[in-house]
Amino acid sequence: MKEITRRKFIATATVATGFALAVQPISAGVITTDAKGLVAGAVKIPVKDGEIPAYRAAPATGDNFPIVLVIQEIFGVHEHIQDITRRFARLGYLAIAPELFVRQGDVSKLSNIDEIRPIVAKVPDTQVLSDLDATVDWAKKSAKGNGEKLGITGFCWGGRIIWLYAAHNPQVKAGVAWYGRLVGDATELQPKYPVDVASKLTVPILGLYGGKDTGISLDTVEQMRDRLKSSSSKSEIIVYPNAPHAFFADYRPSYREKEAQDGWKRLLAWFKQNGV
């Protein structure tokens, strides 16, 4: 994408409406959280090269809210991710999900995951980390967020980012990574993976993984556990033996209610335990 086109695209981009086309049909039992009593909707986050869209939800009254960054799956900030921010808001958090692929393309409008992967592969980690820094800054200055109580959670693609952002920003109080890749081949755009930063982590991260995840082998989970032993972060990894990848995604056939509910309870306890 040429620079002028890219800038124009950023300026006009918005968060997705509804579910991503690539995840249709939507499961009948999908969880829906309404916005009653909340301030919820699209916002613009100032970043180095303009603005990026984000979806944020917070209680309609009060201030000094603990902040939770919600990091998208490969499908972007579609309805499922937006619903998760509203779940957090109902619990008293300011939750924000920034569109981290926006410069590379609008993945919500693509109907096939094979069309999405090449776009996501072009997203530099440096861009993601910088955008998340900008999102935290916006939350503190413009949305009544308490920067002293900063948490982060993410799913699949976003699960990998949790580990990387915690290493990048030690002011994060706690993170929860849902089935994010832990190892991979380094590239110019994605030079490090969670195993590369694990030993130096200071932020406590809870990793939630599925024993039947065909994309993330248990060998890599054990490798990550081993690396974490030499860190001061007190991070932990939980493996649900019978859960597949994306077991929290209630809009997909991969959803596993028991494991998803247990993971959510663990997330909330982890945040509370670590001051978020």
Side-chain angles (χ1 to χ4, degrees):
M1 189 179 289
K2 294 180 180 179
E3 189 63 26
I4 187 167
T5 307
R6 185 171 118 165
R7 286 181 179 276
K8 183 178 179 182
F9 183 76
I10 294 173
T12 59
T14 60
V15 292
T17 301
F19 289 91
L21 291 181
V23 298
Q24 307 292 333
I26 305 306
S27 296
V30 64
I31 296 171
T32 302
T33 307
D34 67 43
K36 186 177 180 180
L38 306 178
V39 175
V43 295
K44 293 283 189 177
I45 307 292
V47 293
K48 289 181 178 179
D49 52 351
E51 294 179 324
I52 61 169
Y55 187 92
R56 70 84 174 82
T61 58
D63 57 16
N64 208 35
F65 304 118
I67 302 166
V68 178
L69 302 177
V70 181
I71 314 303
Q72 65 206 62
E73 312 156 299
I74 195 172
F75 305 114
V77 183
H78 66 128
E79 177 56 31
H80 174 61
I81 300 299
Q82 295 173 26
D83 196 89
I84 291 169
T85 70
R86 295 193 295 271
R87 296 176 205 178
F88 277 117
R90 288 210 167 280
L91 297 171
Y93 291 98
L94 163 64
I96 315 167
E99 283 276 14
L100 299 169
F101 307 157
V102 68
R103 297 168 186 78
Q104 284 70 36
D106 184 356
V107 296
S108 71
K109 300 297 190 292
L110 301 176
S111 59
N112 191 308
I113 194 170
D114 291 331
E115 297 176 289
I116 294 174
R117 286 194 178 101
I119 290 175
V120 176
K122 296 175 184 176
V123 180
D125 287 344
T126 53
Q127 170 190 297
V128 173
L129 300 179
S130 176
D131 284 353
L132 291 176
D133 285 343
T135 303
V136 173
D137 191 53
W138 178 87
K140 292 189 290 187
K141 293 179 179 178
S142 306
K144 302 179 181 178
N146 182 351
E148 299 298 313
K149 294 186 175 183
L150 174 62
I152 185 170
T153 192
F155 307 84
C156 187
W157 180 90
R160 169 180 173 266
I161 296 300
I162 302 312
W163 299 98
L164 298 183
Y165 190 67
H168 166 79
N169 182 3
Q171 294 185 10
V172 173
K173 292 292 186 184
V176 179
W178 301 76
Y179 36 82
R181 276 187 80 186
L182 298 167
V183 305
D185 296 325
T187 67
E188 184 179 353
L189 298 182
Q190 293 94 30
K192 292 183 179 180
Y193 278 79
V195 290
D196 301 314
V197 303
S199 63
K200 295 181 180 179
L201 268 184
T202 59
V203 176
I205 304 296
L206 175 64
L208 300 173
Y209 288 81
K212 293 188 176 179
D213 189 328
T214 57
I216 301 174
S217 73
L218 291 179
D219 287 347
T220 66
V221 173
E222 290 307 317
Q223 186 179 345
M224 186 69 179
R225 274 182 172 149
D226 188 60
R227 296 281 182 94
L228 287 169
K229 289 176 183 177
S230 59
S231 81
S232 63
S233 68
K234 298 183 179 179
S235 296
E236 298 178 14
I237 293 180
I238 304 294
V239 174
Y240 295 102
N242 297 314
H245 189 73
F247 62 84
F248 190 78
D250 52 75
Y251 65 99
R252 297 170 67 182
S254 58
Y255 178 58
R256 298 294 183 271
E257 182 178 20
K258 179 182 175 182
E259 289 86 348
Q261 289 183 353
D262 184 78
W264 183 251
K265 288 178 184 177
R266 288 179 184 272
L267 175 152
L268 296 177
W270 190 260
F271 279 178
K272 185 176 181 179
Q273 172 187 329
N274 290 290
V276 179

